[in-house]
Amino acid sequence: MRIKKIFGWLHLWLGLISGIIVFIISITGAIYSWEPELSAYTAPYHHVTPQNRPFQPVTAIRAAGEASMGGEKAFRILYQGKDKAAVVQFFQKKPYHYYNVYVNPYTAQVQKVLNRDDEFFHFILNGHMYLWLPHDIGGAIVGYSTLVFFLMLVTGIVLWWPRNKGRRKVSFRIKLDASPKRLNYDLHNVLGFYASWIIVFAALTGLVWSFTWMAQAEFWVFSGGQKRPGAVPAKSDNHAPVKDSTAINQVFATFMARYPQAAGYSISMPANDSAVIITRAYPSRHQFYNADYLYFDQHTGREITPPYLGKYKDATVAEKAVRMNYDIHVGSIAGLPGRLLMFFAALIAASLPVTGFLIWWGRKKKSTPRRPIKKESVKNFHTAPR
């Protein structure tokens, strides 16, 4: 009982403090979960007519994108299928900007230059990750709020758990014909209980992105005490006797031939003379954890074997846990059923601060004692002239 009182106090005040933030994070997460499908229907520049011929060389698609951006250097190109435009991406931290240039991969014609800040779903994502605040400030608030929310999930389960078998018979269902007050109580407790077992995974994976110590702890647990590696130490030979600036074309053509059934590809542009070409092949459109990463020398096209983050079949248990972080967060680790479960769980999570506040407000009003009516006031009322 003493533990439950402590947990109750924590659950109440943590909920009151973080409620609005949890609502924003949850509702924006639920909306953003359907970005691929909704964008496909609302943005015609995503699409092209499939043709029975190969794509234009990477250098041609990159040149078209860079020309539309006034010569700025691209950092990555995404290929999302034979019926989709190639996406040439431009990103800069300071001053911040993020652009997608949609290019027809068969003709290298630019279809759309999109400032991501003008995109609805990027606006939603900024709310989910940063609360529309400067990234350093918003990211910290979201991180600590997620930690608070995780503690609330744990304390909520402890508080809800029935004390006896008789209580359990009514604790697992919502009494729809009850009073509004009781219905709100059930919506908070019963729906919150079921959703907690799903949302807890979204919270934990969110913490991995928010805190370095959490990312290190995740790798430490799954690796049996090892430290998480940093960036992959792969470099191109900038002293190569022959430097072929078009090697990237052959690299990508060979890469696509090795993964003909892939649902999508990406190729990262080398940032400097010693950086490598990083290619990725994705087996399915909505999953990223099982992608194969291949590295190539930008000057010679020679493949480089990395010590970490390479082919999925070679990944350790700890590396697989790191790779799965995003797919677990959005539910796509379990395909469409997992995405649907996470979507509905996110909606329930957004409702919890609202139903929880109503429960607290109802108890607060009930516990506020009414001021007693003085006898003199009653006497004056009866003797007052009519």
Side-chain angles (χ1 to χ4, degrees), residues 77-135:
I77 302 177
L78 306 178
Y79 295 84
Q80 302 175 85
K82 293 182 178 181
D83 59 343
K84 295 291 183 69
V87 186
V88 187
Q89 297 189 306
F90 300 82
F91 177 78
Q92 185 174 290
K93 281 188 176 181
K94 293 184 179 180
Y96 173 83
H97 72 244
Y98 192 180
Y99 281 82
N100 280 353
V101 178
Y102 295 84
V103 180
N104 188 314
Y106 301 102
T107 64
Q109 296 295 311
V110 174
Q111 299 188 162
K112 175 75 172 181
V113 177
L114 176 68
N115 183 347
R116 297 295 303 277
D117 285 341
D118 297 333
E119 186 183 29
F120 171 74
F121 281 107
H122 193 65
F123 171 79
I124 293 297
L125 183 61
N126 273 334
H128 184 70
M129 297 180 68
Y130 308 112
L131 302 175
W132 302 290
L133 298 171
H135 288 187

Side-chain angles (χ1 to χ4, degrees), residues 17 46 71 140 176 222 251 255 311 343 354 365:
I17 292 168
H46 281 245
L176 297 175
F222 287 101
V251 162
F255 178 69
K311 295 179 181 179
F343 168 72
V354 179
K365 288 177 66 177

Side-chain angles (χ1 to χ4, degrees), residues 80 181 260 327 359:
Q80 302 175 85
K181 186 176 180 180
D327 293 284
I359 291 172

Side-chain angles (χ1 to χ4, degrees), residues 54-361:
F55 291 162
Q56 289 288 313
V58 173
T59 51
I61 294 174
R62 179 181 64 188
E66 290 178 349
S68 68
M69 289 292 294
E72 182 180 341
K73 297 299 180 183
F75 85 94
R76 184 169 60 191
I77 302 177
L78 306 178
Y79 295 84
Q80 302 175 85
K82 293 182 178 181
D83 59 343
K84 295 291 183 69
V87 186
V88 187
Q89 297 189 306
F90 300 82
F91 177 78
Q92 185 174 290
K93 281 188 176 181
K94 293 184 179 180
Y96 173 83
H97 72 244
Y98 192 180
Y99 281 82
N100 280 353
V101 178
Y102 295 84
V103 180
N104 188 314
Y106 301 102
T107 64
Q109 296 295 311
V110 174
Q111 299 188 162
K112 175 75 172 181
V113 177
L114 176 68
N115 183 347
R116 297 295 303 277
D117 285 341
D118 297 333
E119 186 183 29
F120 171 74
F121 281 107
H122 193 65
F123 171 79
I124 293 297
L125 183 61
N126 273 334
H128 184 70
M129 297 180 68
Y130 308 112
L131 302 175
W132 302 290
L133 298 171
H135 288 187
D136 291 345
I137 299 172
I141 295 174
V142 167
Y144 284 106
S145 297
T146 303
L147 182 59
V148 167
F149 187 50
F150 173 74
L151 295 174
M152 289 178 61
L153 292 173
V154 175
T155 55
I157 290 172
V158 172
L159 289 170
W160 175 90
W161 196 258
R163 298 177 190 173
N164 52 61
K165 290 183 179 180
R167 184 67 178 165
R168 288 172 197 168
K169 292 181 180 180
V170 296
S171 295
F172 287 95
R173 61 185 179 85
I174 298 171
K175 193 175 181 181
L176 297 175
D177 58 348
S179 66
K181 186 176 180 180
R182 174 54 192 266
L183 180 61
N184 179 76
Y185 182 84
D186 282 353
L187 289 173
H188 184 82
N189 287 276
V190 180
L191 290 183
F193 171 75
Y194 287 121
S196 292
W197 300 102
I198 301 169
I199 290 297
V200 70
F201 291 103
L204 284 171
T205 50
L207 290 174
V208 170
W209 291 322
S210 297
F211 300 106
T212 303
W213 59 264
M214 187 65 179
Q216 292 289 355
E218 177 193 43
F219 197 89
W220 184 87
V221 168
F222 287 101
S223 67
Q226 296 180 20
K227 185 178 180 181
R228 180 172 174 169
V232 176
K235 291 186 178 181
S236 293
D237 182 8
N238 55 9
H239 297 296
V242 178
K243 295 183 178 182
D244 183 1
S245 62
T246 64
I248 193 170
N249 293 331
Q250 186 56 47
V251 162
F252 196 59
T254 302
F255 178 69
M256 290 182 70
R258 288 173 64 175
Y259 296 92
Q261 302 303 319
Y265 310 90
S266 76
I267 180 166
S268 297
M269 305 294 108
N272 52 54
D273 201 41
S274 62
V276 296
I277 300 167
I278 306 174
T279 55
R280 302 172 183 85
Y282 301 99
S284 58
R285 286 196 173 183
H286 300 300
Q287 291 179 323
F288 301 96
Y289 74 95
N290 51 0
D292 275 0
Y293 293 65
L294 271 64
Y295 303 77
F296 298 88
D297 188 302
Q298 63 169 301
H299 306 301
T300 65
R302 177 180 60 88
E303 185 174 348
I304 301 169
T305 302
Y308 169 69
L309 205 61
K311 295 179 181 179
Y312 181 71
K313 68 180 181 64
D314 299 328
T316 64
V317 173
E319 185 185 333
K320 286 180 179 178
V322 172
R323 284 168 168 260
M324 291 178 180
N325 207 69
Y326 177 80
D327 293 284
I328 292 172
H329 189 75
V330 300
S332 62
I333 193 73
L336 182 59
R339 293 176 65 201
L340 285 168
L341 278 174
M342 191 61 77
F343 168 72
F344 286 114
L347 289 181
I348 293 171
S351 75
L352 294 179
V354 179
T355 54
F357 176 81
L358 292 175
I359 291 172
W360 171 77
W361 185 253

